[in-house]
Amino acid sequence: MSQSRSSAERFVFERLLAALPSDQYAIHDSVEWMAVPSAPPGRAEGEIDFVICHRTRGVLVLEVKGGGVEFDTATGEWWSIDRHGARHAIADPMRQARQSARHLVGALKDAVGGFLPIPVGSAVAFPDVRW
């Protein structure tokens, strides 16, 4: 794992390694992508924090957001709260994970000739948020 990763991403990576048997799961971190011609409209490029792969269970795209996280239900805006309590606007992490998953599906379908025999899902982790 890259040293430039956030502490939240390192925390999640360590937990994934501890929880998922390495002979059954492949965990790829910091996966950069560029849109393929068959991909749905959206961003032309992006980065996925983690792609977790299992031969029969499928693929999970995981976006990690560290620090405090807030969501305003009235405006649909997302905010990150740093250690000093300052709020910073961030992109919708769930939309980011879904878009990355869609682009990954497009690339995989192109690679296998159009049919993808495994499920691909997306999820978000907020490891620093306490309820």
Side-chain angles (χ1 to χ4, degrees):
M1 171 166 230
S2 168
Q3 292 294 349
S4 64
R5 305 301 269 164
S6 72
S7 61
E9 290 167 348
R10 284 193 299 277
F11 175 85
V12 170
F13 186 66
E14 290 168 4
R15 295 313 178 276
L16 290 170
L17 288 176
L20 302 175
S22 62
D23 63 337
Q24 296 177 33
Y25 291 88
I27 303 168
H28 305 277
D29 72 301
S30 191
V31 177
E32 294 184 12
W33 58 264
M34 293 184 67
V36 294
S38 66
R43 297 182 320 193
E45 60 184 296
E47 183 260 342
I48 304 170
D49 291 330
F50 297 101
V51 177
I52 304 163
C53 306
H54 186 276
R55 182 171 293 144
T56 58
R57 293 183 177 166
V59 177
L60 181 67
V61 170
L62 182 62
E63 177 65 24
V64 177
K65 292 295 180 198
V69 178
E70 290 181 4
F71 174 67
D72 186 327
T73 57
T75 65
E77 294 175 313
W78 286 84
W79 301 87
S80 175
I81 314 301
D82 68 23
R83 69 184 65 131
H84 306 292
R87 294 173 80 212
H88 307 275
I90 59 172
D92 178 337
M94 291 188 285
R95 179 178 295 136
Q96 186 178 355
R98 284 191 308 268
Q99 285 178 332
S100 291
R102 280 196 301 270
H103 286 292
L104 179 61
V105 166
L108 292 172
K109 282 184 174 180
D110 284 352
V112 298
F115 175 72
L116 193 58
I118 58 170
V120 177
S122 58
V124 180
F126 305 116
D128 299 325
V129 173
R130 304 290 179 240
W131 296 100

